[in-house]
Amino acid sequence: MPAVSEPLVDAVFERVRECIDTANHQLGIQLTYPDTSLSLRGRAAGTAHPNQWRLRFNPVLLQQSPNVFFEEVIPHEVCHLVTFALYGRVKPHGSQWRTLMETVFQAPANTTHQLDITAVQGKTFAYACHCGEVALTVRRHNKVQRGEASYRCKRCHQTLMPVSAVL
């Protein structure tokens, strides 16, 4: 995918500033603008790093769904910073965060996005249990291969085995 256009990058930074300004105005606080980058890879749309007062966004998913980013993803991540500033270390999607999402940012308090991640999915490896096949990421597959980890099915709790080993 080509690099993100400068106007879209500028719009992301502006939306982050708008969200911080909204929180400052509505809550009577004085938060600074966070360090913001479009350097996130993988399946996550965005991440907040409250201790570093930093936000990272996924440029591939941004280009695919800019409206979702501006309406949901950016407020979601800014809300993590605001929650941290007000309450310190609390549950990431706990009651404080949900309340701020709905009242300050007027956005749904969804904990995950519903964006199409096929463009950022990466290679997966087939594993299986009694329930059927499960796709593991390269990182998890390599940990299994090196004997550093094993993974269990969330439904039947059986240890997942590589499909080739199940046959």
Side-chain angles (χ1 to χ4, degrees):
M1 184 158 280
V4 180
S5 70
E6 192 171 327
L8 190 55
V9 171
D10 291 344
V12 167
F13 293 144
E14 178 59 29
R15 182 67 175 129
V16 168
R17 289 189 295 271
E18 286 173 3
C19 288
I20 292 290
D21 289 344
T22 297
N24 283 339
H25 177 74
Q26 289 192 21
L27 301 170
I29 56 178
Q30 286 299 312
L31 301 176
T32 59
Y33 300 135
D35 178 32
T36 303
S37 69
L38 294 170
S39 61
L40 187 61
R41 295 171 48 187
R43 297 178 293 181
T47 59
H49 304 273
N51 288 323
Q52 293 97 30
W53 205 249
R54 181 169 59 112
L55 299 172
R56 293 174 59 214
F57 296 104
N58 187 317
V60 175
L61 296 177
L62 166 66
Q63 289 181 95
Q64 286 179 202
S65 305
N67 291 339
V68 174
F69 260 76
F70 294 111
E71 294 169 16
E72 296 180 31
V73 175
I74 294 172
H76 176 116
E77 300 307 334
V78 169
C79 191
H80 283 300
L81 297 182
V82 174
T83 303
F84 180 77
L86 293 175
Y87 305 105
R89 241 183 121 99
V90 295
K91 197 171 180 184
H93 299 112
S95 61
Q96 298 95 336
W97 178 85
R98 283 193 312 273
T99 298
L100 289 172
M101 271 302 285
E102 293 168 352
T103 59
V104 174
F105 298 107
Q106 313 266 307
N110 298 329
T111 58
T112 58
H113 63 73
Q114 300 300 316
L115 300 172
D116 177 10
I117 60 167
T118 53
V120 294
Q121 181 75 42
K123 185 174 181 179
T124 60
F125 292 83
Y127 279 69
C129 64
H130 290 306
C131 299
E133 279 197 23
V134 176
L136 289 187
T137 63
V138 171
R139 177 175 286 163
R140 288 186 175 201
H141 169 72
N142 287 339
K143 284 185 173 186
V144 170
Q145 295 302 302
R146 292 189 301 260
E148 296 173 357
S150 63
Y151 298 95
R152 294 182 178 276
C153 174
K154 290 180 181 178
R155 285 176 280 170
C156 71
H157 305 291
Q158 180 188 16
T159 299
L160 297 174
M161 300 298 292
V163 167
S164 57
V166 173
L167 301 175

